[in-house]
Amino acid sequence: MEKKETFGELVRFAIVGTTSAALHYGIYWVLQHWINVNVAYTIGYVLSFLVNYYLSAHFTFKAKTSAKNGIGFGGAHLVNYLLHIVLFNFFLWIGLSRELAPIAVLAIAVPANFVMVRFVFKHFKRS
């Protein structure tokens, strides 16, 4: 049962992650034309984070939102944000365009985020 449950979570995570990533990228893409790319990237990240938390709790992991998993989710995403912003600036530094750098970041950061977020919702579901 555990493998089937994990596979279902992975599929739902992919749906939520795609939705959140599209929202993040869309906000970033619009804003990066008018403001600093790091600020645009951060605003997109924060807004997509809020949607991601709600959808991850209720759809992906079928858990209730709580202060515990909210703090855990926020902590996981703080680590994830730091990974994002470091990779984002690294990809810009090596010459990737402002439009492609966020996509390269997602290819690395999304799998790492799944592991962290799954831990939060599984750990705090039992507590």
Side-chain angles (χ1 to χ4, degrees):
M1 183 67 169
E2 179 65 29
K3 284 185 181 184
K4 186 177 180 181
E5 181 181 338
T6 300
F7 179 75
E9 288 172 351
L10 187 58
V11 169
R12 292 188 302 272
F13 179 84
I15 293 167
V16 169
T18 300
T19 302
S20 296
L23 179 62
H24 179 193
Y25 185 81
I27 292 167
Y28 162 78
W29 188 84
V30 169
L31 293 178
Q32 58 101 15
H33 291 46
W34 293 289
I35 61 177
N36 175 279
V37 292
N38 285 301
V39 174
Y41 195 85
T42 299
I43 291 170
Y45 189 92
V46 169
L47 294 176
S48 73
F49 163 81
L50 297 172
V51 171
N52 194 344
Y53 173 62
Y54 181 80
L55 292 176
S56 290
H58 296 286
F59 178 66
T60 303
F61 299 106
K62 302 194 184 301
K64 293 181 181 180
T65 55
S66 69
K68 279 186 176 181
N69 66 30
I71 291 168
F73 190 84
H77 272 271
L78 177 59
V79 171
N80 191 47
Y81 170 76
L82 294 172
L83 177 62
H84 269 251
I85 207 71
V86 166
L87 289 171
F88 177 67
N89 282 285
F90 172 74
F91 288 131
L92 290 175
W93 179 73
I94 64 169
L96 239 57
S97 71
R98 295 184 338 180
E99 289 77 17
L100 291 179
I103 295 168
V105 170
L106 291 172
I108 295 169
V110 168
N113 189 43
F114 174 74
V115 172
M116 290 186 290
V117 170
R118 185 174 190 278
F119 172 79
V120 166
F121 281 103
K122 291 301 183 177
H123 177 73
F124 291 121
K125 194 175 194 177
R126 292 186 198 116
S127 309

